[in-house]
C-alpha cells in the first residue's frame, strides 16, 4: 500500500473509536432504495419517527390526523406554499392536519396545511387535500395521533392498506429471544399472509388456489418492515449480497438477546398451483417439487449462517399447498444442519383452516 | 467511443434522479462534481465499476471536465434544467457555476435506462448513496469529498486515482464497521459517508 494511504488508514482507525463511542446506529435503512422497496422503507422510518414523536412530552399536538406521501420529485408541488422540515431531527413539531411530502428519507420533507373549513372533519380534510393535489394514488400513510393508528397505502388509495398501531410498540425491551422472534413471525403471518384478506393480499385466484407472483419477495419486504418496526437501530436488513447469494433477512446480533448472535432468515413459499405458461390453465405443483424447494432453502440458509458467523438460522415456509401433508425428510435435514424451521399454513378461507384443524385432530 | 459517453450520461441522469428522489435538488454544479467524485469512488463498495477513476486534485475541489461537458449536453437535450447560472471570480480565477435539476422528461428517460438490469443496479446504488448523503448533518456536506481517503492524501495538482485497481473505499469502509456487525454493502456505504462527515465537521458532533 502507498505510504500516504497508510496515513489515511491510521486516521481512519482513530476516527473509529470516536464514532463508536457515540454510536447511534439508527441510520442504515432496512430496505434498499429501489422502486419496489422505497415506500416501505419510508414507512418504516416514519413509524420510528412517530413512535418518538408520541413519546416526546415537549410536543404540542392537536391530535388531528396527518398524512405522509412519498413523491419522486418535488417539482410538481413547488407552488403549494409549503414549509420545509427536517423531520428526522425534530419530534416536537405539530403534525396535525398536515400533508407531508417526503422523498426516500425524512431528511427533507415539505409540509402542506390542509384547509380548515368549519365543521369539516380533519380526516376528510386530509383525504380531500390528497385527492385535490393528485397525491392519493402515490404511496402514502395516514396517522391519527389520538389512537396511534398508522395506516399504510404502499400502492396508493386503491391498493392494499396495512394498519399498524404505533402506541403498542412504544415501551419495553425490544431485543428478541428466539421464542419472541417466532411469536412475531406468527403474528405477522396472522395479519399479513394467513388468509386471503391478509394485508399482503397473497392470493391471485383464491378459488383455484393460485398465489400472486413474486410472493417471496413481497413477503420478505413486509416482514422486514414488520420486524424492524419499533425496534431502534439499523438491525434488520434485506438484500445483503454475499459471494454465495443473497440471504432474505439478516437480524444483527444487537437486535437479539445476549448470547444468541446474529440471525439469518430464509423464506420459501410452497405453492399448490400455478398458472400454466399460457396463463389460461392451472398446473398443480407436486409435493416433491415443493420439498426440493424447501430443502434448497435449508442448504442456502446454512451456508449464509456459516459465512456470516450467525448464531442462528431459520427456514420459514409459507405453505400454500392444497393438502397439509408433511414434507418427508425436511425436518430431519433442518435439524441435522442446525436450522430452525417454521411452517406457516396459508388458507384460502377460514373454513379451510377449520377443516384442516379438524382433520389434524381426527388424524391424531 | 460513443458507448462510454452514453454510459457516462446515463450514469449522470441516474445520479440526478437519485438526488431528485431525495428532494435535495436543484444542486450547485460545483457540488455535483464533488458528489459525483464521491459516488464514483465509493461504487466498489457495491461491487460496481468506477466510471471516472482519474482526476487532478483541484483547489476548488474535485472537478471532471467530461462531467461539465455532459451536463451541457444534457441541458441541450432538454433532460436537465439549469438555473441561477453565474460567473464568479475568486483568487484562483473565473468560475462558471449554477444549479441543475432533472426535469420530468429526464425522469422518463431514467425509467427507460433502468430497464437494463445493470443500470437498475447502478440506480439502486446511486439512490442509496444519495439517501446516505441527504441524511448527514454537516453544513456543507459536499465538502466531504475533501476527506475521502483517496483525495485527502494527495497534494494539489497531482492525480487522484480511484480506479478499480487502486480503490480503497471498500477496505476503508470495512475498517469502520464494528466487530459484532455482519458487514453489508449498504451499512458500509452509510458508515463511510458518516465518517467523511465526521472528518469534515470534526469530532463527535457528526457521529
Amino acid at each position: 500500500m502507498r505510504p500516504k494511504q497508510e496515513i489515511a488508514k491510521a486516521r481512519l482507525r482513530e476516527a473509529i473509536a470516536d464514532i463508536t463511542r457515540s454510536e447511534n446506529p439508527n441510520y442504515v435503512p432496512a430496505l434498499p432504495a429501489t422502486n419496489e422497496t422505497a415506500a416501505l422503507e419510508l414507512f418504516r422510518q416514519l413509524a420510528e419517527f412517530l413512535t418518538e414523536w408520541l413519546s416526546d412530552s415537549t410536543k404540542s399536538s392537536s391530535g388531528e390526523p396527518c398524512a405522509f406521501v412519498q413523491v419522486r420529485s418535488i417539482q410538481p408541488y413547488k407552488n403549494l406554499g409549503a414549509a420545509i422540515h427536517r423531520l428526522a431531527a425534530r419530534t416536537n413539531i405539530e403534525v396535525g392536519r398536515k400533508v407531508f411530502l417526503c422523498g426516500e428519507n425524512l431528511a427533507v420533507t415539505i409540509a402542506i396545511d390542509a384547509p380548515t373549513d368549519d365543521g369539516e372533519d380533519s380526516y376528510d380534510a386530509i383525504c380531500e387535500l390528497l385527492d385535490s393535489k393528485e397525491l392519493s394514488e402515490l404511496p402514502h400513510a395516514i396517522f391519527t395521533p389520538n389512537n396511534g393508528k398508522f395506516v399504510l397505502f404502499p400502492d396508493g388509495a386503491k391498493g392494499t392498506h396495512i394498519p399498524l398501531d404505533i402506541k403498542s410498540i412504544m415501551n419495553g425491551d425490544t431485543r428478541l429471544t428466539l421464542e419472541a422472534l417466532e411469536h412475531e413471525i406468527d403474528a405477522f403471518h396472522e395479519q399479513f399472509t394467513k388468509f386471503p384478506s391478509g394485508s399482503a393480499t397473497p392470493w391471485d385466484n383464491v378459488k383455484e388456489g393460485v398465489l400472486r407472483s413474486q410472493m417471496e419477495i413481497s413477503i420478505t419486504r413486509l416482514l422486514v418492515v414488520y420486524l424492524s418496526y419499533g425496534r431502534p437501530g439499523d438491525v434488520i436488513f434485506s438484500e445483503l449480497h454475499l459471494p454465495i447469494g443473497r440471504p432474505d433477512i439478516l437480524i444483527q446480533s444487537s437486535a437479539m438477546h445476549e448470547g444468541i448472535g446474529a440471525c439469518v432468515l430464509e423464506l420459501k413459499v410452497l405453492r399448490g398451483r400455478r398458472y400454466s405458461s399460457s396463463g389460461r390453465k392451472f398446473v398443480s405443483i407436486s409435493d416433491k417439487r415443493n420439498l426440493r424447494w424447501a430443502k434448497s432453502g435449508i442448504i442456502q440458509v446454512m451456508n449464509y449462517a456459516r459465512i456470516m458467523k450467525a448464531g442462528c438460522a431459520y427456514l420459514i415456509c409459507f405453505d400454500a399447498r392444497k393438502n397439509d401433508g408433511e414434507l418427508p425428510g425436511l425436518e430431519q435435514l433442518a435439524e441435522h444442519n442446525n436450522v430452525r424451521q417454521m411452517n406457516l399454513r396459508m388458507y384460502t378461507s377460514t373454513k379451510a383452516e377449520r377443516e384442516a384443524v379438524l382433520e389434524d385432530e381426527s388424524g391424531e | 467511443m460513443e458507448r462510454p459517453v452514453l454510459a457516462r450520461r446515463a450514469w449522470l441522469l441516474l445520479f440526478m434522479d437519485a438526488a431528485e428522489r431525495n428532494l435535495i435538488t436543484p444542486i450547485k454544479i460545483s457540488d455535483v462534481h464533488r458528489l459525483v467524485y464521491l459516488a464514483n469512488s465509493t461504487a466498489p463498495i457495491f461491487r460496481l465499476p468506477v466510471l471516472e477513476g482519474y482526476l487532478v486534485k483541484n483547489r476548488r475541489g474535485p472537478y471532471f471536465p467530461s462531467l461539465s461537458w455532459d451536463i451541457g449536453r444534457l441541458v441541450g437535450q432538454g433532460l436537465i434544467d439549469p438555473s441561477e447560472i453565474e460567473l464568479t471570480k475568486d483568487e484562483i480565477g473565473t468560475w462558471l457555476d449554477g444549479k441543475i435539476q432533472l426535469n420530468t422528461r429526464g425522469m422518463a428517460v431514467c425509467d427507460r435506462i433502468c430497464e437494463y438490469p445493470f443500470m437498475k443496479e447502478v440506480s439502486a446504488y446511486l439512490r442509496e448513496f444519495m439517501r446516505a448523503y441527504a441524511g448527514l448533518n454537516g453544513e456543507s456536506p459536499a465538502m466531504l469529498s475533501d476527506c475521502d481517503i483517496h483525495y485527502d492524501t494527495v497534494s494539489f495538482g497531482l492525480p487522484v486515482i480511484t480506479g478499480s485497481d487502486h480503490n480503497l473505499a471498500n477496505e476503508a469502509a470495512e475498517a469502520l464497521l464494528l466487530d459484532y456487525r455482519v458487514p453489508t454493502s449498504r451499512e458500509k456505504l452509510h458508515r463511510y459517508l458518516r465518517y467523511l462527515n465526521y472528518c469534515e465537521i470534526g469530532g463527535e458532533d457528526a457521529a
Side-chain angles (χ1 to χ4, degrees):
Chain A
M1 191 180 291
R2 286 160 291 175
K4 281 182 175 174
Q5 282 164 347
E6 278 289 9
I7 299 167
K9 286 208 83 175
R11 196 175 303 164
L12 205 69
R13 279 192 292 272
E14 278 168 30
I16 295 170
D18 260 359
I19 292 177
T20 51
R21 231 191 342 262
S22 51
E23 177 71 358
N24 172 18
N26 196 6
Y27 57 77
V28 184
L31 291 162
T34 62
N35 289 352
E36 296 79 16
T37 50
L40 284 176
E41 174 56 31
L42 178 73
F43 296 150
R44 195 191 64 80
Q45 290 182 22
L46 279 169
E48 266 174 25
F49 164 75
L50 292 171
T51 304
E52 276 179 42
W53 183 85
L54 273 178
S55 54
D56 185 348
S57 55
T58 65
K59 69 172 185 298
S60 59
S61 171
S62 63
E64 292 184 291
C66 61
F68 301 88
V69 186
Q70 187 170 52
V71 294
R72 176 173 178 172
S73 163
I74 201 63
Q75 292 179 47
Y77 315 103
K78 260 180 192 165
N79 303 322
L80 294 179
I84 293 176
H85 293 283
R86 197 179 163 86
L87 271 191
R90 287 184 63 193
T91 54
N92 58 355
I93 184 175
E94 162 65 281
V95 297
R97 225 181 165 95
K98 284 187 172 67
V99 170
F100 291 89
L101 306 181
C102 314
E104 295 199 335
N105 66 35
L106 295 180
V108 181
T109 55
I110 317 285
I112 310 168
D113 287 311
T116 47
D117 289 343
D118 280 346
E120 190 181 24
D121 181 69
S122 47
Y123 193 91
D124 290 344
I126 292 283
C127 293
E128 212 166 280
L129 180 62
L130 290 176
D131 285 339
S132 66
K133 304 296 176 201
E134 294 176 357
L135 294 166
S136 57
E137 294 315 311
L138 298 175
H140 66 276
I142 299 182
F143 175 61
T144 314
N146 281 345
N147 57 14
K149 289 280 176 230
F150 187 44
V151 186
L152 319 180
F153 300 88
D155 305 310
K158 288 179 185 157
T160 314
H161 72 284
I162 304 170
L164 295 175
D165 186 358
I166 295 286
K167 277 180 181 165
S168 68
I169 45 94
M170 280 177 59
N171 299 312
D173 184 2
T174 57
R175 284 179 305 160
L176 291 160
T177 59
L178 294 183
E179 291 70 28
L181 174 63
E182 287 172 22
H183 178 75
E184 289 217 13
I185 293 170
D186 275 331
F188 167 84
H189 178 52
E190 286 283 339
Q191 186 183 345
F192 285 81
T193 47
K194 191 170 181 181
F195 297 114
S197 57
S199 298
T201 53
W203 298 90
D204 190 50
N205 187 330
V206 181
K207 198 175 151 203
E208 295 296 339
V210 181
L211 288 176
R212 279 200 293 126
S213 61
Q214 307 265 310
M215 262 323 277
E216 254 166 39
I217 299 171
S218 173
I219 293 175
T220 303
R221 287 175 199 141
L222 289 168
L223 185 57
V224 167
V225 175
Y226 189 87
L227 290 176
S228 54
Y229 168 56
R231 194 155 275 118
D234 49 342
V235 290
I236 295 162
F237 293 97
S238 167
E239 305 222 6
L240 155 70
H241 293 270
L242 295 175
I244 54 161
R246 195 177 66 188
D248 286 333
I249 299 177
L250 162 70
I251 306 179
Q252 294 279 13
S253 57
S254 48
M256 304 296 293
H257 259 275
E258 237 166 84
I260 297 178
C263 190
V264 56
L265 315 183
E266 184 66 25
L267 275 57
K268 291 285 177 207
V269 171
L270 309 180
R271 293 166 185 267
R273 301 183 89 185
R274 63 172 173 83
Y275 289 111
S276 65
S277 49
S278 69
R280 271 177 268 167
K281 290 181 182 169
F282 302 98
V283 181
S284 292
I285 298 173
S286 66
D287 275 358
K288 197 176 160 191
R289 195 168 165 179
N290 274 318
L291 177 63
R292 207 164 49 226
W293 184 234
K295 280 184 172 176
S296 72
I298 292 181
I299 308 297
Q300 278 175 289
V301 76
M302 184 187 86
N303 283 329
Y304 298 146
R306 181 173 47 81
I307 286 188
M308 295 191 289
K309 298 186 181 74
C312 65
Y314 272 89
L315 171 73
I316 303 164
C317 292
F318 289 84
D319 190 349
R321 292 174 303 144
K322 278 211 154 183
N323 61 65
D324 60 351
E326 272 191 25
L327 292 169
L330 185 65
E331 222 174 292
Q332 290 86 330
L333 183 67
E335 212 174 297
H336 180 71
N337 290 295
N338 224 1
V339 173
R340 295 171 78 99
Q341 195 225 330
M342 291 179 76
N343 197 60
L344 307 170
R345 289 283 300 164
M346 297 168 77
Y347 298 100
T348 49
S349 65
T350 47
K351 188 181 166 202
E353 185 203 17
R354 279 196 303 274
E355 281 169 4
V357 172
L358 286 173
E359 207 169 290
D360 273 355
E361 282 182 0
S362 63
E364 280 168 16
Chain B
M1 282 304 288
E2 208 172 54
R3 289 178 66 135
V5 171
L6 280 181
R8 221 173 52 209
R9 286 189 197 151
W11 193 98
L12 179 58
L13 283 173
L14 294 179
F15 174 88
M16 293 307 297
D17 184 40
E20 198 66 42
R21 288 174 185 274
N22 282 280
L23 313 189
I24 52 170
T25 56
I27 313 185
K28 275 179 80 173
I29 294 172
S30 50
D31 287 349
V32 171
H33 280 274
R34 291 185 174 112
L35 287 171
V36 163
Y37 164 75
L38 260 188
N40 228 324
S41 68
T42 50
I45 294 176
F46 270 57
R47 298 182 192 174
L48 290 170
V50 176
L51 223 55
E52 292 271 351
Y54 182 96
L55 83 161
V56 174
K57 187 162 177 174
N58 191 306
R59 286 193 186 278
R60 284 198 180 93
Y63 174 79
F64 299 97
S66 57
L67 177 64
S68 284
W69 175 252
D70 288 337
I71 290 173
R73 296 292 293 186
L74 291 172
V75 169
Q77 286 174 314
L79 303 174
I80 284 180
D81 290 338
S83 60
E84 298 174 40
I85 300 292
E86 57 176 7
L87 269 178
T88 52
K89 266 188 178 178
D90 58 20
E91 67 276 12
I92 306 169
T94 309
W95 178 254
L96 182 69
D97 209 348
K99 290 180 174 176
I100 55 170
Q101 180 165 28
L102 194 70
N103 58 29
T104 44
R105 200 161 156 243
M107 287 175 215
V109 172
C110 285
D111 290 342
R112 294 295 302 275
I113 292 171
C114 286
E115 287 171 13
Y116 294 91
F118 175 71
M119 295 312 283
K120 195 176 175 187
E121 244 177 82
V122 171
S123 167
Y125 162 66
L126 290 171
R127 283 164 74 173
E128 194 70 50
F129 173 85
M130 220 44 103
R131 190 155 73 170
Y133 163 70
L136 300 178
N137 56 0
E139 278 181 23
S140 169
M143 296 299 286
L144 311 173
S145 52
D146 292 351
C147 304
D148 173 58
I149 187 163
H150 309 94
Y151 200 84
D152 186 25
T153 49
V154 172
S155 307
F156 289 115
L158 292 178
V160 180
I161 304 168
T162 59
S164 301
D165 294 343
H166 301 272
N167 195 289
L168 292 166
N170 193 49
E171 220 178 326
E174 266 183 13
L176 287 166
L177 289 178
L178 305 177
D179 289 342
Y180 63 86
R181 309 278 295 182
V182 176
T184 70
S185 310
R186 291 191 298 111
E187 178 158 5
K188 282 191 264 182
L189 177 66
H190 280 261
R191 193 168 282 269
Y192 187 61
L193 288 192
R194 291 255 153 178
Y195 158 72
L196 296 181
N197 193 45
Y198 165 91
C199 294
E200 186 226 334
I201 66 176
E204 293 185 359
D205 293 345

